[in-house]
Amino acid sequence: MRCVNGRSSRINLLTHLSVILYYLHFIAYYLLVHALQNHCIFAYIPLQFQYLAWRYTILLYRESDFSFGSYGCHFLEYPPNSPVQLHSIGLMKVISPSFIWNGLKRGSNKMFIFQYTLSGQGMIRMEDQTYSLKAGQAFLVEVPSDHEYYFPQDSDHWEFLYIALHGDHVGDCWSFVKQTMGVIPTIEADAPVIRYLFRIYQEIAKKRITDGFQAAGTTYQFITELYREAKIKQANVGHWPVCVRLAVQLIESDYQTLAGLEDLANQVSVSKYHLARLFHQHTGTTVVQYLTKIRVKKAVALLLESNYTIEKIAELVGYNNGKYFTKIFKELVGLSPGRYKKNYDMITVDHLFSETN
């Protein structure tokens, strides 16, 4: 095993206090559960303490010079078929405009990056869309891909925590999170997934993770916590802008007649560029991709529940050309409409659409 420290500062007294408070958080949680199970009237006290303990941890952490640095970890062995492997992790404070990372200039080895802004401001470009990154906002990207994150000239600093992972399972998680929380998800600093990411960083910095088996278990738990965070917010679309909520409603109700992005933008009274940017940011997909998915989903229902011809189904879901509909259906589902109708009993619809999100 080789774990390389990129840049690390001395751990001071405040660091030790923050670690103590961090573990007190778990003690408080245990006391809370015990109190609730025994119907204790003082159950609210551990809960308050739990919340305050973590807030103090964050406060002390930020006010100290605790271990700004990055660690690249190269382990000789991982569990067989490990779904996730740790590449690197770091806590960084950037103040130089020279800080820039381009997703197409970092080699061809596949890697997945989660980065969470603690304070200050950064920027990221994903294809043709650019987003500001402020405290509480994260991004998830795959390398190689067309993205670029950097330190903007109008920012005085950018402090963030990141983790880079390998493994196909990570890509599935990234897709799910972006679909449910948007491409720039907002996460509370005291959310379990962020707390756990701090914990991984602390364990690596203190050299308590010493082999690939420990790293695999730890990083898989991080993926699980990220799934949990996304699942909690999956049904909550109230934080989406009004125009995005209206656009989704219109797509799901008027998919047969919508002409595309410009038509949709006119109906929700915003420019098509503004709608395209917000829709992608909050849903993790484009307007056209979402409209196509809804049309194909409706087509699946018609294939299984009616005796309509392929041409008629194409017309009913908004396509004027049966051949074009067949082409789109096969690209999304993996089978032609006719083949799908014959073999539907061997394939579940939920599985099919999870693969095309």
Side-chain angles (χ1 to χ4, degrees):
M1 187 277 290
R2 180 161 57 93
C3 194
V4 183
N5 180 5
R7 180 168 58 92
S8 180
S9 56
R10 179 176 298 177
I11 300 177
N12 60 20
L13 177 60
L14 288 177
T15 296
H16 296 293
L17 290 174
S18 68
V19 173
I20 291 170
L21 286 172
Y22 178 81
Y23 286 106
L24 285 175
H25 157 267
F26 291 101
I27 296 173
Y29 178 77
Y30 171 79
L31 292 173
L32 171 63
V33 172
H34 178 76
L36 289 175
Q37 289 175 340
N38 292 280
H39 305 285
C40 176
I41 60 174
F42 299 107
Y44 70 93
I45 297 177
L47 181 61
Q48 287 180 321
F49 179 75
Q50 175 186 357
Y51 178 79
L52 291 174
W54 178 249
R55 285 298 186 183
Y56 271 111
T57 302
I58 294 293
L59 178 62
L60 291 171
Y61 181 86
R62 289 179 176 176
E63 291 182 349
S64 71
D65 60 348
F66 172 51
S67 67
F68 283 112
S70 58
Y71 296 82
C73 296
H74 309 279
F75 299 104
L76 296 178
E77 285 189 287
Y78 276 93
N81 303 315
S82 174
V84 57
Q85 301 172 10
L86 177 62
H87 175 274
S88 58
I89 189 169
L91 171 71
M92 301 188 69
K93 185 174 183 178
V94 177
I95 58 173
S96 171
S98 64
F99 179 87
I100 183 169
W101 285 102
N102 188 298
L104 296 175
K105 299 178 180 179
R106 304 182 73 168
S108 58
N109 293 331
K110 184 180 289 188
M111 178 172 62
F112 300 90
I113 299 171
F114 174 90
Q115 185 163 306
Y116 180 78
T117 298
L118 295 167
S119 65
Q121 180 184 355
M123 298 289 290
I124 186 168
R125 176 189 59 79
M126 296 181 180
E127 297 181 345
D128 58 349
Q129 299 291 334
T130 301
Y131 306 99
S132 174
L133 299 165
K134 298 180 180 179
Q137 293 182 312
F139 68 78
L140 307 90
V141 293
E142 178 181 342
V143 175
S145 69
D146 185 14
H147 70 268
E148 188 172 79
Y149 54 97
Y150 55 93
F151 182 72
Q153 294 183 349
D154 59 348
S155 178
D156 61 349
H157 77 283
W158 186 19
E159 184 180 332
F160 56 82
L161 183 65
Y162 80 89
I163 189 168
L165 305 168
H166 295 297
D168 292 336
H169 185 75
V170 187
D172 295 336
C173 177
W174 264 221
S175 297
F176 180 77
V177 171
K178 287 191 284 188
Q179 181 190 10
T180 55
M181 299 178 68
V183 293
I184 307 295
T186 298
I187 306 175
E188 292 294 327
D190 56 351
V193 64
I194 302 303
R195 297 202 304 262
Y196 195 76
L197 187 55
F198 269 108
R199 179 180 176 184
I200 297 174
Y201 180 77
Q202 290 171 342
E203 295 297 293
I204 288 288
K206 293 177 179 295
K207 299 182 180 179
R208 292 174 179 165
I209 295 177
T210 58
D211 60 54
F213 294 89
Q214 288 177 300
T218 302
T219 50
Y220 190 81
Q221 180 64 30
F222 168 72
I223 292 297
T224 302
E225 292 295 345
L226 194 54
Y227 266 124
R228 186 205 307 272
E229 184 71 19
K231 198 68 178 177
I232 290 172
K233 296 183 178 179
Q234 184 176 27
N236 179 22
V237 299
H239 64 286
W240 289 0
V242 174
C243 65
V244 175
R245 296 202 302 271
L246 289 175
V248 168
Q249 292 171 7
L250 283 170
I251 290 173
E252 294 181 352
S253 62
D254 299 346
Y255 59 90
Q256 298 167 299
T257 57
L258 279 174
L261 173 62
E262 189 165 359
D263 182 21
L264 188 62
N266 289 336
Q267 293 195 50
V268 299
S269 303
V270 297
S271 75
K272 63 179 182 179
Y273 305 105
H274 184 64
L275 178 61
R277 181 178 64 83
L278 288 180
F279 195 94
H280 185 261
Q281 177 180 348
H282 290 278
T283 68
T285 187
T286 67
V287 167
V288 173
Q289 288 171 339
Y290 192 81
L291 175 59
T292 301
K293 178 178 175 179
I294 294 299
R295 284 175 168 171
V296 170
K297 186 175 181 180
K298 298 295 183 181
V300 165
L302 290 171
L303 281 168
L304 302 183
E305 298 169 6
S306 74
N307 293 316
Y308 290 135
T309 64
I310 302 300
E311 289 286 341
K312 183 62 175 179
I313 291 176
E315 179 186 342
L316 290 173
V317 298
Y319 293 104
N320 297 324
N321 186 302
K323 289 184 178 180
Y324 181 68
F325 162 69
T326 298
K327 176 177 178 291
I328 294 296
F329 189 98
K330 189 172 183 179
E331 287 178 355
L332 199 62
V333 177
L335 298 171
S336 67
R339 182 75 178 273
Y340 178 82
K341 184 175 178 65
K342 291 179 181 179
N343 295 278
Y344 77 92
D345 58 327
M346 295 184 293
I347 306 173
T348 65
V349 172
D350 286 341
H351 175 72
L352 280 171
F353 281 103
S354 70
E355 294 298 312
T356 56
N357 286 339

